[in-house]
Amino acid sequence: MEKNQELRNAWDFVEHTGISIFLTGKAGTGKTTFLRTLKERSNKRNIIVAPTGVAAINAGGMTIHSFFQLPLSPFVPNSNIKNRFDYSKEKRKIMRTLDLLIIDEISMVRADVLDAIDSVLRRFREPNKPFGGVQLLMIGDLQQLTPVVTPEEEELLKHYYETPYFFGSKALCSISYVTIELTHVYRQQDDTFISLLNNIREGKTTATDLQRLNERYNPAFQPKNGSDYIRLTTHNRMAESYNEEQLRNLPTKAYTFSAETDGNFPEYNYPTDFNLTLKVGAQVMFIRNDNNGRYYNGRIGHITHVDNKKIAVLCPGDEEEFEVEIETWENTKYTLNEKTKQIEAEVQGSFKQYPLRLAWAITIHKSQGLTFEHAIIDAQASFASGQVYVALSRCKTLGGLVLASPIGNAAIINDNKVNEYIANQTVEAERSIAILPTLKKEYYRQLLIELFNFNELKMYETALFKVLSEFFYKYTKINALHKMTLTDLDARIIDVSMKWENLIRKMTTEELHEEDFKERIKKGALYFHSQLTELFSHLLELTKESQTNNKVGAKRFDNAYTELKQTYHAKHELLDTIMKEGFSITTYLTAKQEAILNSISDGSERKKRKQKENKIKTNEQTFTLFKAGKSIDEIAKERGFTRGTILRHLFPYIQQGDIQLNELIEEKKINLIKRIIKAVGKEEGMKPIKELCPSDITYDDINLVMKSTMT
């Protein structure tokens, strides 16, 4: 990724800005690889969703409809999502603390589904911000698979949307997002073939292109025994019929292997047949990667041995067969680890089966994301935009494909709306990338403004006062207190916060990072923290005792009171952290998520941020364990903290001289980090330093050395 500027840009937009991204590109340009890298390395709290079960399983996420509990019917704009089941506390916590929502195969997501996601996120996060303020990463290629829209759905949606594609989403149209197109093709190396594919993808096919392509037409072609040719068809029935016929024609004995399922693993998510029937001589395709490198997702082979206990496969180019072992696929859901505060994927169910599928033929749709050395393509019955392009682009070379039917202009379907959208986005992308360095710097400014923004608190206080005035008018003293609080909130909080916002917007990037201003931020946090305490701590205690016999009023009160209380506690705790530890992007994002989590826990679960004396106590516990000879990782596991938190506990003891820095980090690592810091400086944060360090030096190591050199 480091050598690919487009991928570097995508990484910077995701990690160092709050701007949403549409990551697109031709087949074989590295979109899937980027997703895997992001999943492993991102510092942002993220989840992955996809429009289909198979796509979700492959991406290691959940389906959109499952996570957001969306109805199967189309979503009408400006309506609310009605669920048979309410959202669990677990899922609400995840949504409230989410930094980044990754949507894979976005080309298959309808506009109304994206608006439904917007509706759910607004419900549990910031109601006045699109997608509740969550950053989106949308991955996919509009020139490949398209959204499925039935005639009935199309009739309904056309009244609300100009196009069913995701970019027709009203919520998406209301935000600024950047499109980054990956252009370097890793799958194909032949420039002539790449040019041909590009023209088909973009709807610019010439007569010369078609002539060159149809030179590969050979209806009588029969692959030699043992070759790895796979037939790509437009419809399921065509592929299934061909596979069944080929299997029947084999004179060898058939063996059937039944899958094992455990827990929740829906049938529509099965990665291969539940009952897999095989014979010696059958052509198969592997449907996942082997940890030992013997096969990969999409590799073709032939069954050389099969009985009730063993399956052996020989792949073209290999000298020896190898035994295939049963693999396990997991159906996951997202949960929240209360100790580490991290979003984790929890296994709901599993599917165990041999990672094989009959593969004399598969559909073009099922071939997306796969790479073949040789393919027979039957695409004359193409019915969807991008279908021919997907089929042809599976092959590494033009010489590796054979056409079972000729391809004319009628089979190459392109959507003008897609072409127009891509053209516009390409222009916008150039502008956005040009100002990326500025956007990265502005991210710091926006988070500062967010810290001192109290509009959400005012909104919920206004809503509660309205409920009290309507249903609790007999509580005259409480109503009077809330009325006065609204006035004080404007004068002591909102007006002051607006002054802060104006100041922050006027200051240069360099001024925002000056030590004097950082101290002003801590004092500002202290001011707002004390004002909020004075305005709300006693008021909330008095208000919670209010009662009414009106069921509607009682329900509205509970909702309004809960929202105000949670918002107050989250902001109060966040300000407490900033006034003590100072402001940085990492500190702010971490503290914000912890504060939200604590605020939405009930009384028994709430882990309120401890005061200074308690912090000293927890530091001492860590110090005692360290002096007892335990490693940082051992202490982190025992105490239920992250490694970084344990290091922060120990830092005061480094300052005091009770612990030497080389007791935590090897001397050679310390010296190397110091040299790199001296060379690149600290202004751009830790990322440039980390890029120059060996892989065994962590961000925690760098952070500790940086802090130590500042003392």
Side-chain angles (χ1 to χ4, degrees):
M1 185 173 76
E2 286 71 16
K3 297 180 181 179
N4 187 314
Q5 187 59 48
E6 294 158 351
L7 287 171
R8 284 180 63 90
N9 289 339
W11 176 265
D12 281 343
F13 271 109
V14 171
E15 284 296 290
H16 304 300
T17 80
I19 295 174
S20 293
I21 305 100
F22 170 38
L23 182 67
T24 187
K26 306 175 184 69
T29 51
K31 298 186 295 294
T32 302
T33 303
F34 179 80
L35 173 59
R36 294 192 188 114
T37 303
L38 189 69
K39 188 178 177 182
E40 293 171 2
R41 293 175 50 189
S42 177
N43 291 316
K44 290 188 175 181
R45 298 166 69 87
N46 65 79
I47 64 168
I48 304 169
V49 294
T52 67
V54 173
I57 295 292
N58 290 338
M62 296 178 67
T63 66
I64 292 171
H65 282 76
S66 176
F67 182 80
F68 291 103
Q69 298 174 207
L70 304 183
L72 296 176
S73 57
F75 175 80
V76 176
N78 300 318
S79 64
N80 293 317
I81 301 294
K82 303 293 184 184
N83 295 280
R84 288 186 300 154
F85 309 104
D86 201 2
Y87 295 88
S88 66
K89 181 184 289 185
E90 185 87 6
K91 192 165 286 185
R92 293 198 303 270
K93 285 182 177 181
I94 291 171
M95 285 191 279
R96 287 286 298 271
T97 60
L98 194 61
D99 293 318
L100 176 69
L101 174 64
I102 303 170
I103 308 176
D104 198 22
E105 300 290 4
I106 188 66
S107 66
M108 299 176 66
V109 178
R110 293 198 318 252
D112 66 301
V113 173
L114 208 53
D115 281 342
I117 294 172
D118 167 68
S119 176
V120 175
L121 289 174
R122 285 179 190 253
R123 176 179 168 185
F124 295 109
R125 295 176 56 91
E126 299 179 64
N128 296 323
K129 289 186 179 181
F131 304 101
V134 174
Q135 183 184 24
L136 304 183
L137 171 60
M138 303 166 286
I139 303 176
D141 182 5
L142 282 164
Q143 304 286 19
Q144 296 190 47
L145 297 186
T146 58
V148 177
V149 188
T150 66
E152 294 79 13
E153 291 168 339
E154 186 177 11
E155 182 62 30
L156 174 63
L157 293 174
K158 72 180 184 182
H159 298 291
Y160 303 97
Y161 298 98
E162 292 184 5
T163 174
Y165 288 100
F166 79 92
F167 56 81
S169 156
K170 297 186 182 301
L172 189 64
C173 290
S174 70
I175 66 171
S176 295
Y177 65 100
V178 60
T179 295
I180 295 179
E181 182 175 6
L182 306 180
T183 57
H184 182 78
V185 178
Y186 296 94
R187 183 176 295 153
Q188 291 90 15
Q189 304 299 321
D190 180 2
D191 290 339
T192 302
F193 189 32
I194 291 173
S195 176
L196 173 63
L197 291 174
N198 287 344
N199 288 346
I200 292 172
R201 180 177 184 265
E202 296 168 9
K204 300 176 181 177
T205 316
T206 65
T208 304
D209 291 329
L210 289 176
Q211 182 183 349
R212 184 179 290 117
L213 182 60
N214 283 301
E215 288 173 358
R216 306 303 304 167
Y217 173 52
N218 184 358
F221 179 79
Q222 291 295 326
K224 295 179 181 178
N225 289 335
S227 72
D228 61 349
Y229 275 92
I230 186 169
R231 181 178 290 262
L232 303 182
T233 68
T234 52
H235 294 75
N236 264 315
R237 54 178 167 64
M238 296 167 66
E240 290 170 0
S241 174
Y242 190 81
N243 284 329
E244 288 170 3
E245 180 185 357
Q246 296 297 312
L247 191 68
R248 276 196 309 271
N249 291 339
L250 290 176
T252 49
K253 183 179 178 180
Y255 292 86
T256 299
F257 303 90
S258 297
E260 293 181 21
T261 59
D262 184 52
N264 179 20
F265 205 110
E267 187 175 342
Y268 53 77
N269 284 351
Y270 289 171
T272 187
D273 295 337
F274 185 90
N275 294 309
L276 180 64
T277 301
L278 301 172
K279 293 180 178 180
V280 169
Q283 179 164 298
V284 293
M285 180 177 72
F286 288 93
I287 56 172
R288 74 181 307 168
N289 298 327
D290 177 40
N291 291 330
N292 298 317
R294 297 171 300 173
Y295 55 83
Y296 51 83
N297 189 11
R299 191 179 193 191
I300 302 296
H302 294 85
I303 304 293
T304 55
H305 174 89
V306 59
D307 57 32
N308 291 323
K309 297 181 179 179
K310 178 182 176 182
I311 300 173
V313 172
L314 179 65
C315 296
D318 290 353
E319 295 181 358
E320 295 182 0
E321 65 183 23
F322 57 86
E323 186 176 346
V324 183
E325 298 171 352
I326 291 174
E327 295 275 5
T328 301
W329 288 262
E330 294 176 340
N331 181 32
T332 62
K333 74 170 184 178
Y334 289 103
T335 61
L336 195 70
N337 188 312
E338 292 289 349
K339 286 187 175 181
T340 64
K341 307 293 187 183
Q342 297 302 307
I343 298 171
E344 298 176 348
E346 182 183 278
V347 177
Q348 278 192 305
S350 62
F351 177 93
K352 294 183 179 180
Q353 180 62 286
Y354 288 100
L356 299 169
R357 155 185 306 147
L358 290 176
W360 285 283
I362 64 171
T363 64
I364 294 170
H365 271 65
K366 287 181 179 175
S367 76
Q368 179 148 358
L370 303 179
T371 302
F372 305 121
E373 296 287 345
H374 301 96
I376 303 168
I377 296 171
D378 186 4
Q380 67 174 349
S382 171
F383 61 88
S385 174
Q387 213 170 15
V388 169
Y389 171 70
V390 171
L392 297 175
S393 61
R394 299 309 94 196
C395 229
K396 286 186 174 182
T397 63
L398 183 60
L401 65 86
V402 175
L403 299 184
S405 53
I407 293 177
N409 275 318
I412 302 173
I413 304 170
N414 292 94
D415 193 316
N416 289 330
K417 288 182 179 177
V418 170
N419 295 335
E420 184 180 339
Y421 169 78
I422 290 173
N424 291 335
Q425 288 300 112
T426 301
V427 175
E428 287 296 313
E430 292 176 0
R431 183 191 64 81
S432 298
I433 291 167
I435 61 171
L436 176 57
T438 303
L439 292 172
K440 289 167 67 174
K441 293 176 181 177
E442 288 303 298
Y443 187 48
Y444 182 92
R445 187 190 307 274
Q446 291 304 317
L447 293 183
L448 259 181
I449 292 172
E450 184 181 279
L451 169 66
F452 292 133
N453 186 296
F454 300 88
N455 291 339
E456 192 177 12
L457 193 67
K458 183 182 177 180
M459 179 181 69
Y460 289 128
E461 170 60 16
T462 303
L464 180 59
F465 179 58
K466 185 178 179 182
V467 173
L468 290 168
S469 301
E470 186 174 350
F471 296 98
F472 298 80
Y473 48 85
K474 293 181 179 178
Y475 291 84
T476 54
K477 290 184 178 179
I478 289 177
N479 274 274
L481 282 171
H482 278 276
K483 186 177 181 179
M484 185 171 68
T485 297
L486 277 171
T487 302
D488 289 343
L489 189 61
D490 276 333
R492 296 157 61 179
I493 301 288
I494 301 298
D495 289 351
V496 181
S497 72
M498 289 176 66
K499 291 177 181 177
W500 268 97
E501 181 178 344
N502 292 333
L503 175 65
I504 293 168
R505 290 192 185 280
K506 290 177 182 177
M507 294 177 70
T508 65
T509 304
E510 291 72 22
E511 288 171 338
L512 290 175
H513 288 274
E514 289 177 357
E515 291 301 320
D516 287 348
F517 187 68
K518 287 182 178 179
E519 286 301 313
R520 285 187 65 183
I521 293 170
K522 292 170 77 171
K523 290 177 181 177
L526 174 61
Y527 167 81
F528 286 116
H529 183 273
S530 62
Q531 292 296 317
L532 289 182
T533 304
E534 187 176 328
L535 289 176
F536 287 103
S537 60
H538 184 57
L539 180 66
L540 287 169
E541 285 297 313
L542 288 174
T543 307
K544 72 177 181 181
E545 305 299 332
S546 304
Q547 294 182 351
T548 179
N549 293 324
N550 187 303
K551 290 183 179 180
V552 174
K555 186 176 181 180
R556 285 178 58 187
F557 171 82
D558 286 342
N559 291 336
Y561 180 82
T562 300
E563 292 285 8
L564 176 62
K565 186 179 180 182
Q566 290 179 356
T567 304
Y568 161 71
H569 280 298
K571 199 72 166 180
H572 194 261
E573 184 174 325
L574 175 60
L575 290 166
D576 182 71
T577 301
I578 300 302
M579 72 188 201
K580 293 173 180 173
E581 299 181 14
F583 183 89
S584 71
I585 290 176
T586 304
T587 301
Y588 176 78
L589 290 177
T590 303
K592 177 185 172 184
Q593 307 306 352
E594 287 186 3
I596 292 171
L597 285 172
N598 291 338
S599 73
I600 59 180
S601 300
D602 56 37
S604 60
E605 294 178 323
R606 181 172 296 125
K607 300 176 182 178
K608 293 182 177 180
R609 180 167 291 273
K610 297 177 181 179
Q611 300 301 317
K612 187 174 181 180
E613 61 269 16
N614 291 330
K615 283 189 175 183
I616 293 173
K617 188 177 178 181
T618 196
N619 291 353
E620 287 178 352
Q621 291 175 16
T622 298
F623 178 68
T624 302
L625 291 170
F626 180 77
K627 284 300 185 182
K630 294 196 173 186
S631 70
I632 302 300
D633 291 332
E634 288 172 338
I635 299 170
K637 186 176 181 180
E638 181 174 331
R639 302 209 60 203
F641 291 125
T642 64
R643 190 174 189 275
T645 299
I646 297 301
L647 289 173
R648 284 196 293 274
H649 287 176
L650 295 176
F651 181 69
Y653 297 96
I654 296 175
Q655 292 178 300
Q656 297 166 20
D658 297 322
I659 298 176
Q660 298 300 310
L661 186 59
N662 58 14
E663 293 183 70
L664 303 176
I665 308 171
E666 294 176 36
E667 192 73 45
K668 63 179 183 180
K669 287 185 179 181
I670 296 171
N671 294 333
L672 178 58
I673 294 169
K674 285 181 176 179
R675 287 201 302 272
I676 294 172
I677 291 173
K678 188 176 180 180
V680 303
K682 303 176 183 177
E683 292 77 15
E684 296 296 320
M686 289 188 286
K687 188 173 184 291
I689 301 169
K690 180 68 170 72
E691 288 177 343
L692 295 173
C693 289
S695 59
D696 62 337
I697 292 179
T698 67
Y699 277 104
D700 289 329
D701 296 335
I702 298 168
N703 186 40
L704 204 60
V705 174
M706 287 178 71
K707 283 186 175 179
S708 299
T709 56
M710 291 170 62
T711 59

